[in-house]
Amino acid sequence: MSQAAIEMIGVNKWFDTFHVLKNIDLKVGSGEKVVICGPSGSGKSTVVRCINKLEKHQEGIIRLGGVELTNDPKSVEAIRSEVGMVFQQFNLFPHLSVLENLTLGPIKARGLSRKDAEERARHYLERVRIPDQADKRPAQLSGGQQQRVAIARSLCMEPKVLLFDEPTSALDPEMISEVLDVMVSLAEDGMTMVVVTHEMGFARKVADKMVFMDAGEIVEQGPPEHFFTKPKSERCRTFLSQIL
Ligand code: ADP
Ligand code: MG
């Protein structure tokens, strides 16, 4: 059997005395798409932040490609280069051009020459369908374009896994689909993806597995056909009835 891309086994995390993640078990196979949903404050962001070590867990095991995450700075660095993350707020550098935002990581962290980094950046700008925006500053772009730049920036690091934390929540409604379309096409290309979102149309289209969280727990996980038609728990039914 091929190695799971991500494995969380019995993961517990506390913020001080607040038990934010409770016995999280989650497996993401290579090439799999997992969509996480659940009410605000249920721990979704904390799960994805633990996967790329933006947060530390206190108990349990997290493995990436079969290798356990430790607090060793070398391990943290290795994770950052294997796991891309796209946030709700795009987190682009405002004083840099789009192209410079995209070449910074590959030049600094991957040792690419400027020429190779620019070639790669243009390739991924094409991939997110904004090849002609390379010389603009982020503020000159729409929210949907900025988020696509953020996705291209992640792709420029050629990660094995992409994590998305509510990538369309900060966008005006008319810009949501241009970002989701790019995400669907990445999914079709076989990218391993963990996506926190309430965009259930997207989830139905791409998810191999749906995960529902509430109060720090994974209450339910399974294939979308079961999840949407016969959720097992009352909490999940209630949640779905509110957002669908
Ligand atoms: P979600 O993404 O599902 O909305 P989060 O993972 O952001 O949930 O947060 C889960 C819970 O942990 C919330 O109650 C939130 O207030 C709390 N929390 C998140 N980050 C911190 C932090 N750095 N310190 C203390 N509490 C936090
Ligand atoms: Mg969140």
Side-chain angles (χ1 to χ4, degrees), residues 6 8 47-53 62 64 69 79 163:
I6 303 168
M8 301 179 84
V47 164
V48 291
R49 292 169 63 84
C50 282
I51 295 173
N52 77 344
K53 272 278 177 187
I62 304 180
L64 288 180
L69 303 195
I79 292 148
L163 310 174

Side-chain angles (χ1 to χ4, degrees), residues 15 18 20 39-46:
F15 284 120
F18 174 59
V20 61
S40 178
S42 56
K44 306 178 297 295
S45 294
T46 306

Side-chain angles (χ1 to χ4, degrees), residues 53 55-57 68-76:
K53 272 278 177 187
E55 296 283 357
K56 270 187 206 167
H57 60 289
E68 184 171 351
L69 303 195
T70 67
N71 294 325
D72 174 350
K74 275 227 174 70
S75 148
V76 174

Side-chain angles (χ1 to χ4, degrees), residues 1-8 26-34 51-52 61-69 79 82-83 159-163 190-194 209:
M1 206 186 81
S2 75
Q3 200 73 259
I6 303 168
E7 246 177 321
M8 301 179 84
L26 178 66
K27 207 169 182 172
V28 183
S30 183
E32 243 185 340
K33 290 71 167 114
V34 173
I51 295 173
N52 77 344
I61 296 173
I62 304 180
R63 293 195 193 106
L64 288 180
V67 179
E68 184 171 351
L69 303 195
I79 292 148
E82 281 186 28
V83 180
K160 296 203 175 93
V161 174
L162 266 185
L163 310 174
M191 177 61 90
T192 306
M193 294 163 69
V194 177
K209 180 155 62 185

Side-chain angles (χ1 to χ4, degrees), residues 48-49 52 54 84-91 147 150 153-154 163-170:
V48 291
R49 292 169 63 84
N52 77 344
L54 286 172
M85 176 122 178
V86 176
F87 301 87
Q88 180 175 341
Q89 303 301 339
F90 328 119
N91 297 351
Q147 189 58 301
R153 181 177 56 179
S154 286
L163 310 174
F164 295 83
D165 191 2
E166 305 210 30
T168 60
S169 301

